[in-house]
Amino acid sequence: MRRDNQSSVSEFLLLGLPIQPEQQGMYYALFLGMYLTTVLGNLLIILLIRLDSRLHTPMYFFLSHLALTDISFSSVTAPKMLMNMLMQTQSISYAGCICQDFFFLLFGGLDSFLLTSMAYDRYVAICHPLHYTTIMNDSLIFLLVIVSWVLSFSSAFVHTLLLARLSFCGDNTLHHFFCDLSALLKLSSSDTTVNELVIPTLGTVVITLPFICILVSYGHIGATILRRPSIKGIYKAFSTCGSHLSVVSVYYGAIIALYIVPSSNSTNDKDVIVSVLYTLVTPMLNPFIYSLRNRDIKGALRNILRRGPFVA
């Protein structure tokens, strides 16, 4: 993917997080704990869904894919960041940087589409309960997941292809802990006009449109509840949608803070700190949100602990 006649940079230097040297050990332990929690927590969700037949529903099918995506998303950036902190190194190869950017965009986009699929599932379940099994059939479920992968891959591939065509001469220092696309564009010595035009265009497809679909879905859900107000109906809606709404709020809240809210003069440090929220904190919170707010997941965990994971 790299073209040597266009670039003299063989590696980039990642400055990492704005942390004082004497605090490196404390933050290393903190981020290592967060990453392990992300991996183990999401693996637990996947295991529970796999072992408990009552969770073999469209909602939990999407949730298992979301959990796997969150593990992959954190694994794109966290291991390299932790290794750099531990080894006191800052370098990442050109090829490694391009690959990291591709997988970061791939799994970030996949998160967005899966959350949208889950919102549609909740919309059908609450607004059209009598037709739920007919609408949310296996064909549609698999189609939604496949389309999510195709769109995410296409977006990431286009960004990466355009990035690989750029030249990087001179400064190779990234004020970040991973190869962020916007940070790389600032370092390029080539014309980045096309890249900067593609970013909002694909961002509309990957982020804005899914977010609008989620808002519309929950708008219909809210309207349905208000037309037939009852304590039981409201409780059912919150019990089935509360966890998903919490995850959506954290996920899109981080994106808005990182890419939409105007930056101040301290933009580098702000972007890095918010990126930690986006890449480490959000995937880590998902297992806690679904464990604490979802009675089906809690019930599955109690059943597994009671009878053992390998008892028929």
Side-chain angles (χ1 to χ4, degrees):
M1 190 174 291
R2 182 184 168 199
R3 298 170 62 178
D4 291 331
N5 63 337
Q6 285 190 327
S7 174
S8 60
V9 171
S10 61
E11 65 179 18
F12 293 97
L13 297 180
L14 300 172
L15 293 187
L17 299 167
I19 298 172
Q20 297 299 323
E22 61 271 15
Q23 298 177 322
Q24 286 276 350
M26 178 183 68
Y27 279 99
Y28 174 82
L30 174 64
F31 292 137
L32 177 61
M34 291 170 63
Y35 176 62
L36 292 177
T37 301
T38 298
V39 173
L40 296 176
N42 282 290
L43 281 177
L44 177 61
I45 286 180
I46 295 172
L47 181 66
L48 290 175
I49 294 173
R50 176 67 181 84
L51 294 178
D52 195 319
S53 59
R54 291 173 301 176
L55 300 182
H56 294 175
T57 64
M59 180 65 176
Y60 293 107
F61 177 77
F62 292 132
L63 177 57
S64 64
H65 280 268
L66 181 68
L68 181 60
T69 301
D70 283 336
I71 293 173
S72 304
F73 187 55
S74 284
S75 298
V76 171
T77 57
K80 179 61 179 174
M81 179 190 70
L82 292 169
M83 185 179 72
N84 286 357
M85 293 177 70
L86 182 64
M87 305 299 294
Q88 297 295 309
T89 59
Q90 296 178 313
S91 64
I92 183 172
S93 68
Y94 176 90
C97 194
I98 297 296
C99 288
Q100 187 183 61
D101 183 71
F102 170 78
F103 286 108
F104 178 82
L105 295 171
L106 171 65
F107 292 119
L110 192 56
D111 250 345
S112 180
F113 288 120
L114 289 174
L115 288 173
T116 307
S117 298
M118 294 169 74
Y120 178 71
D121 174 83
R122 293 300 84 202
Y123 158 74
V124 175
I126 293 176
C127 299
H128 304 284
L130 299 180
H131 302 286
Y132 178 78
T133 55
T134 303
I135 297 174
M136 297 303 297
N137 54 63
D138 290 344
S139 298
L140 179 61
I141 295 168
F142 285 110
L143 178 63
L144 288 173
V145 172
I146 291 171
V147 170
S148 297
W149 272 98
V150 170
L151 291 177
S152 301
F153 177 86
S154 301
S155 174
F157 183 75
V158 170
H159 280 304
T160 307
L161 189 63
L162 292 174
L163 179 63
R165 295 174 61 251
L166 300 178
S167 299
F168 294 91
C169 302
D171 187 16
N172 67 337
T173 303
L174 288 168
H175 296 270
H176 225 299
F177 63 91
F178 72 98
C179 293
D180 180 63
L181 178 60
S182 59
L184 286 168
L185 294 182
K186 292 177 183 178
L187 286 185
S188 175
S189 54
S190 302
D191 182 7
T192 60
T193 302
V194 176
N195 301 71
E196 291 167 358
L197 288 174
V198 168
I199 288 175
T201 303
L202 292 181
T204 300
V205 176
V206 176
I207 300 298
T208 308
L209 289 180
F211 185 52
I212 292 174
C213 290
I214 292 173
L215 293 179
V216 171
S217 296
Y218 278 103
H220 282 289
I221 290 173
T224 299
I225 295 173
L226 291 177
R227 282 199 299 267
R228 299 189 296 270
S230 68
I231 299 298
K232 183 179 179 180
I234 294 174
Y235 175 78
K236 180 181 179 181
F238 274 106
S239 65
T240 57
C241 300
S243 301
H244 182 253
L245 269 175
S246 301
V247 173
V248 167
S249 301
V250 174
Y251 176 81
Y252 285 102
I255 291 178
I256 291 171
L258 185 58
Y259 296 109
I260 298 178
V261 174
S263 299
S264 62
N265 293 330
S266 58
T267 179
N268 288 332
D269 286 353
K270 186 272 275 186
D271 288 350
V272 171
I273 292 170
V274 176
S275 293
V276 172
L277 172 66
Y278 180 47
T279 60
L280 281 177
V281 178
T282 302
M284 181 192 69
L285 288 179
N286 289 356
F288 289 103
I289 291 173
Y290 280 103
S291 297
L292 295 175
R293 296 183 61 89
N294 192 296
R295 60 182 181 181
D296 292 334
I297 292 290
K298 289 188 289 187
L301 180 59
R302 283 194 297 266
N303 291 337
I304 295 300
L305 292 176
R306 189 179 302 122
R307 64 182 173 87
F310 303 108
V311 177

